[in-house]
Amino acid sequence: MGRFGRGSRPASRFGVRSVAGQAFVWQLAVLLLLAAIATVALVLKTTSDAQNDARHRALAVAAGFAHAPGLVQALQSPDPTAELQPLALRAQKTAGVDFVDVLSTSGIRYTDPIPGLIGTRAQGDIARAAAGASFTEIFQGSPQNAVRALVPVQDAHGRVVGLVSTGVQTTDVAAVVDRQLPVLIGAAVGALVLAAGGATLVSRRLRRQTHGLGPVEMTRMYEHHDAVLHSVREGVLILDADRRLVLANDEARHLLGLRADAEGRALEELGLDPGIAALLRSAGTVTDEVHPAGGRLLAVNLRPTAVGSGPSGCVATLRDTTELLAVAGRAEEARGRLELLYDAGLRIGSTLDVVGTAEELTGVAVPRLADFVSVDLLEDLLSGDGATPRPTAGAELRRVANRSVLEGAPEHVIGVGEVALHADDSPQARCLATGRSELHPTWMAVPVIARGVTLGVVEFLRFRRPTPFQADDLTMAEELVARASLSLDNARRFTREHTTALTLQHSLLPRRLPDQSAVEAAFRYLPADPELGVGGDWFDVIPLSGARVALVVGDVVGHGIAASATMGQLRAAVRTLADADLPPDELLTQLDDLVMRLASDTGAAGDAPTAETGATCVYAVYDPVSGGCSLARAGHPSPAVVRPGGVAEILDLPAGPPLGLGGLPFETLETVLPEGSLLALYTDGLVESRQRPLDTGLALLRRALAGPDGSPAPDGSLDLLCEQVVGSLLPDAPADDAALLVARVRRLDPGRVATWDVAADFAAVAGIRAQAARRLSAWGLEEASFVTELVISELVTNAIRYGGAPVRLRLIHDRSLICEVFDGSGTAPHLRRARVFDEGGRGLLLVAQLTQRWGTRQTAGGKIIWCEQELSGDLSGVSSSAPP
């Protein structure tokens, strides 16, 4: 069987039925014609080669000169001609071309071999070179016809700043051809001889390559290949070594928009997208590299092709992946939305502040979703009136935040903080009334709803980007607002609770310290960061009987309204217990019981006290007569003392358990404070934090109290000292509340204190009364003498009758006149109303009616009954140093 089918047979070597035979006959027929035109063809070929050589030489010289160092600087100099003309003439002479011109981007000559042409405009395709293309052309015009090359000069940023034009005159090309004409004629004759032998060789080779196929079979096979090439859904491009288009199938023409006469044109003349053109210009191997081209996304495969040992061209295949571009676009859009939601989850609600949360919402939405975003909230909600139903009429909204892509948000109508009343038919009122969003091409309105309560409206506007809002944009906006709504509501609730707790706390803390003579006091209270809530720190200065004063600082565990309320209860309890004149340890014991009762009242039956109901406290009592100070603490930091001329120290006060634990005793420390000593009571928020251990805080406190020169409050101002301490120890936003109470102790003038021992005899009462009257006269208190003598008679008589020895009377001239009677009995009297026929029981009633305050306090050896009389302003300030 034959190679190509059952009916085929081997062809003769030069049979006319075969392609090889017909080719041989045809070659013999055209040999004579070839001989006739060989000379002409060779002449034309020589001319073309000369022109190509001129093109390459001109382009090489132009490219080399365009990239010469310093050319860009010379073009940008004040006189480019002066710097470039010598260089151009030297390059022209060295390269062997007819001219080297440097042009501006508009074609004005800076250099030229003919000086008269400098400054004139060159002809030709100047705009194409100014656009960044390098090319050669056959130029016909003034001053001479030439083969010319144009190359742009680019600066470091890729901008075209000038042009270089070089060329060879066409007369020189013709002269080359004339010189080679004898050689060409001889070559043509030799070609005739070689053609005859070559025809035979070609016919033999063709016979082997076609396997003896006839013209019909060859035509059918070519048509089949051509049909496959042009019907395949993949573009095919074949370029030669010079990157000229050899072949492009129909799909390639369609994908790249090639014109009908594209074959044979250089790559730069095809009008391809820069990315595709750069890829085809490369000599590498590329597999499925994606490039945009004419609104399409093309996957390009590039393979070099070698023809013998000559320069290689390339074959490129193109596949349309535009649908993948659309899918990728939708995927990119979806990814952008997911990133927006992710950022919203991270950024919105980072603070418990209404304004801060609203600003975070606008910061996330601008510019990725809208060009302008505003957040307006209902005025009554912001004012703390609580949640209200959705309004059915107009709405009064306050602008909380807005943001724009334009600096300063010039397009806003309502400024931040301003209030606007919207009509019933306004989009804002409709959103508030219906709870539904509104979508328009340039704006969207989305209601802010949290926990079933409408808080306000968020508006999204577009005025810069051309694409209108779509349903997907509204969905995204609603998702952002929904995330922000809970944060806004939490911030609103927190702000309202924080304001309430702060108001409660301020109402429960002393706004000013009471007037008394024992100490000069100052305080500072610094609340913690608002996001942490109001704490339960408190302080107090409580005047006691006998011109004494109690200093107290406490700290309730926890934050918020509950901590503030507990603090108020404990402060009131401390004041009540202080009025009973209990020693510090007994007062803390009573306070401990109270905290346990509060814990049991707030918890379920049988529950143990929780940490939220615990508290710490330090309580100190100072006596300005003796200078003695009694202190006790319950889980609280020890007070600091600065004695005159000394350094600050922390008192070694026995540590009691925190209040609310029960079952453990408290201990009292007795110490004497010289006049002018400083006593500082504080809460742990002042000296301790997560970033600073307690020991470091205490060292800083001692240094701040002592002052830079070792003398506290050098200007005598305790307020200044408090500022100094707080500024040294606390940051701008402390993590816990801090309270500081500083007291400078005083001593009463000994001449203002008189003490008498009384014999256990009723007859001694008259003598004591007379001595007291003389002392009052010496103090200038004659007006108080009558009442004082009555009070002394009653109290001393009762002490002798019902008390025990020893009995002692003491008068203290302070802001009031204080009368104290001590006896050795621990039995305290009680005020009662005497019946008509009772002989006694009216003494204390008389004392209570004649004086402003009275009471009893226990001492280590008995009790003291005391009373106080108010003095007029001119009497209370009189000092006396009269002897007792």
Side-chain angles (χ1 to χ4, degrees):
M1 263 187 139
R3 181 173 181 180
F4 299 100
R6 182 181 296 274
S8 62
R9 60 182 182 274
S12 62
R13 176 173 296 184
F14 297 109
V16 295
R17 293 180 59 113
S18 67
V19 174
Q22 293 179 3
F24 180 74
V25 173
W26 174 252
Q27 289 174 355
L28 289 178
V30 299
L31 278 178
L32 295 177
L33 180 61
L34 289 175
I37 66 175
T39 301
V40 177
L42 289 174
V43 170
L44 295 176
K45 179 65 170 60
T46 302
T47 301
S48 176
D49 290 344
Q51 288 183 348
N52 287 338
D53 179 72
R55 285 176 182 268
H56 295 321
R57 182 151 47 98
L59 184 61
V61 173
F65 197 84
H67 294 85
L71 182 57
V72 174
Q73 291 77 5
L75 283 170
Q76 297 174 346
S77 67
D79 189 2
T81 300
E83 296 189 23
L84 295 175
Q85 178 71 0
L87 300 177
L89 293 176
R90 190 181 305 117
Q92 171 188 338
K93 181 178 180 181
T94 304
V97 295
D98 291 319
F99 64 90
V100 175
D101 289 352
V102 180
L103 313 176
S104 68
T105 56
S106 60
I108 302 301
R109 293 183 176 91
Y110 291 136
T111 69
D112 194 272
I114 303 174
L117 295 178
I118 296 175
T120 62
R121 186 181 300 277
Q123 302 177 9
D125 196 0
I126 300 301
R128 180 180 170 192
S134 301
F135 60 93
T136 60
E137 61 181 1
I138 303 297
F139 177 79
Q140 294 182 350
S142 177
Q144 67 272 330
N145 298 336
V147 177
R148 186 174 70 171
L150 282 172
V151 175
V153 179
Q154 298 178 340
D155 61 10
H157 302 289
R159 295 190 297 267
V160 177
V161 297
L163 308 173
V164 176
S165 173
T166 63
V168 179
Q169 297 181 11
T170 55
T171 56
D172 296 340
V173 176
V176 174
V177 175
D178 292 341
R179 290 194 301 269
Q180 295 180 356
L181 186 58
V183 179
L184 295 177
I185 295 175
V189 174
L192 289 174
V193 177
L194 293 176
T200 303
L201 296 177
V202 169
S203 298
R204 290 178 178 177
R205 183 174 182 84
L206 186 58
R207 183 183 64 82
R208 290 195 301 270
Q209 291 181 346
T210 59
H211 303 286
L213 295 177
V216 177
E217 289 85 352
M218 288 296 297
T219 300
R220 185 182 299 114
M221 183 176 65
Y222 172 78
E223 291 175 349
H224 174 71
H225 290 171
D226 187 66
V228 172
L229 179 65
H230 291 284
S231 63
V232 70
R233 291 295 304 276
E234 189 169 288
V236 178
L237 293 177
I238 300 178
L239 294 94
D240 61 13
D242 295 330
R243 291 305 185 262
R244 290 184 175 274
L245 182 62
V246 177
L247 180 143
N249 68 346
D250 295 343
E251 184 68 10
R253 292 176 182 274
H254 171 68
L255 295 177
L256 299 177
L258 300 177
R259 53 189 183 183
D261 59 347
E263 275 95 348
R265 292 184 176 273
L267 184 62
E268 292 79 6
E269 302 174 1
L270 299 179
L272 302 178
D273 286 274
I276 296 290
L279 182 63
L280 296 177
R281 195 179 298 114
S282 66
T285 298
V286 174
T287 301
D288 285 338
E289 188 170 305
V290 179
H291 286 268
R296 294 184 174 87
L297 197 65
L298 303 181
V300 183
N301 292 273
L302 187 65
R303 297 290 186 274
T305 60
V307 181
S309 59
S312 63
C314 65
V315 175
T317 60
L318 313 170
R319 187 172 67 257
D320 188 1
T321 59
T322 305
E323 293 182 358
L324 293 178
L325 176 62
V327 173
R330 290 192 294 272
E332 182 66 20
E333 182 179 358
R335 186 180 66 85
R337 294 181 182 276
L338 289 176
E339 288 183 352
L340 181 59
L341 290 176
Y342 177 75
D343 290 345
L346 292 179
R347 296 173 56 183
I348 298 177
S350 62
T351 63
L352 287 173
D353 179 70
V354 174
V355 176
T357 302
E359 290 176 347
E360 289 168 350
L361 171 60
T362 60
V364 169
V366 177
R368 289 189 283 182
L369 181 60
D371 299 326
F372 177 83
V373 175
S374 64
V375 180
D376 301 330
L377 299 182
L378 288 171
E379 174 66 11
D380 55 355
L381 294 180
L382 290 176
S383 62
D385 294 338
T388 60
R390 293 172 182 161
T392 57
E396 186 178 2
L397 297 173
R398 182 180 293 275
R399 177 66 49 85
V400 178
N402 59 33
R403 186 180 294 267
S404 171
V405 293
L406 303 178
E407 184 176 358
E411 66 275 25
H412 76 273
V413 178
I414 304 172
V416 175
E418 296 181 358
V419 177
L421 182 61
H422 298 273
D424 297 352
D425 58 347
S426 65
Q428 295 85 353
R430 288 197 301 268
C431 282
L432 292 174
T434 63
R436 293 192 297 268
S437 304
E438 291 197 10
L439 173 64
H440 300 270
T442 59
W443 62 274
M444 300 182 295
V446 180
V448 182
I449 303 175
R451 299 179 177 95
V453 177
T454 301
L455 305 177
V457 177
V458 181
E459 293 182 72
F460 301 82
L461 284 81
R462 280 183 181 174
F463 53 84
R464 172 173 289 185
R465 64 178 71 188
T467 56
F469 284 120
Q470 305 292 335
D472 290 344
D473 296 319
L474 180 60
T475 301
M476 174 60 65
E478 289 176 338
E479 178 65 24
L480 292 178
V481 174
R483 295 192 177 205
S485 296
L486 288 176
S487 298
L488 285 171
D489 189 51
N490 290 337
R492 178 184 66 86
R493 290 168 177 260
F494 171 79
T495 301
R496 185 175 61 187
E497 180 178 340
H498 180 266
T499 302
T500 303
L502 196 60
T503 303
L504 175 62
Q505 184 189 53
H506 286 174
S507 66
L508 296 175
L509 288 175
R511 299 184 181 181
R512 64 181 183 85
L513 299 181
D515 294 332
Q516 39 76 42
S517 303
V519 297
E520 175 192 359
F523 66 91
R524 283 296 181 275
Y525 178 82
L526 279 83
D529 189 333
E531 293 190 3
L532 301 176
V534 176
D537 293 12
W538 91 91
F539 60 92
D540 213 341
V541 176
I542 307 171
L544 301 178
S545 63
R548 297 171 306 137
V549 66
L551 306 175
V552 57
V553 169
D555 185 2
V556 175
V557 175
H559 294 82
I561 295 178
S564 297
T566 303
M567 177 270 289
Q569 291 176 303
L570 295 184
R571 179 172 179 247
V574 170
R575 295 187 71 90
T576 302
L577 295 173
D579 285 342
D581 272 325
L582 295 178
D585 55 344
E586 294 185 19
L587 183 141
L588 292 181
T589 301
Q590 296 293 333
L591 198 62
D592 183 48
D593 294 338
L594 174 62
V595 173
M596 286 191 293
R597 287 196 298 272
L598 291 176
S600 62
D601 292 342
T602 57
D607 288 349
T610 60
E612 287 73 11
T613 57
T616 65
C617 182
V618 60
Y619 183 81
V621 175
Y622 174 70
D623 186 350
V625 176
S626 64
C629 184
S630 303
L631 307 96
R633 63 177 176 135
H636 202 85
S638 290
V641 173
V642 184
R643 292 181 169 85
V647 296
E649 61 174 329
I650 305 298
L651 288 177
D652 188 14
L653 183 60
L659 300 174
L661 296 182
L664 296 175
F666 299 98
E667 297 183 49
T668 297
L669 172 69
E670 301 285 350
T671 186
V672 176
L673 298 178
E675 185 172 9
S677 298
L678 280 180
L679 183 63
L681 286 71
Y682 51 90
T683 58
D684 58 357
L686 182 69
V687 295
E688 188 176 16
S689 66
R690 294 181 179 179
Q691 294 76 27
R692 183 180 62 199
L694 178 60
D695 292 343
T696 303
L698 292 177
L700 293 174
L701 175 64
R702 291 196 302 270
R703 189 178 304 121
L705 287 174
D709 57 354
S711 59
D715 296 335
S717 171
L718 293 185
D719 286 328
L720 184 61
L721 177 62
C722 289
E723 292 292 341
Q724 175 180 313
V725 172
V726 170
S728 301
L729 273 73
L730 289 183
D732 295 335
D736 192 9
D737 289 21
L740 171 65
L741 179 61
V742 177
R744 179 184 286 116
V745 300
R746 298 168 175 168
R747 288 286 186 93
L748 285 183
D749 184 354
R752 285 177 171 247
V753 180
T755 305
W756 298 274
D757 290 327
V758 181
D761 185 359
F762 292 111
V765 175
I768 290 297
R769 189 170 59 240
Q771 296 184 51
R774 287 194 297 272
R775 176 50 58 96
L776 292 178
S777 178
W779 286 344
L781 303 179
E782 291 87 350
E783 295 181 1
S785 180
F786 177 73
V787 173
T788 304
E789 290 185 40
L790 289 179
V791 168
I792 291 175
S793 295
E794 292 296 332
L795 294 182
V796 172
T797 300
N798 287 342
I800 295 174
R801 178 175 297 169
Y802 302 109
V807 177
R808 187 179 300 113
L809 170 65
R810 183 168 71 170
L811 295 179
I812 300 175
H813 180 195
D814 191 27
R815 297 174 184 270
S816 61
L817 180 59
I818 304 171
C819 177
E820 297 180 339
V821 176
F822 169 81
D823 68 78
S825 171
T827 303
H830 298 284
L831 181 67
R832 66 182 180 87
R833 183 173 296 275
R835 290 172 294 182
V836 177
F837 299 104
D838 288 345
E839 295 183 0
R842 295 177 178 83
L844 285 181
L845 180 60
L846 178 64
V847 171
Q849 290 178 339
L850 293 177
T851 61
Q852 281 66 48
R853 297 176 60 213
W854 78 278
T856 179
R857 68 174 181 267
Q858 299 292 326
T859 66
K863 67 177 181 296
I864 294 176
I865 307 298
W866 59 268
C867 62
E868 293 183 7
Q869 300 178 60
E870 291 184 359
L871 302 176
S872 58
D874 57 341
L875 295 179
S876 61
V878 174
S879 62
S880 175
S881 58

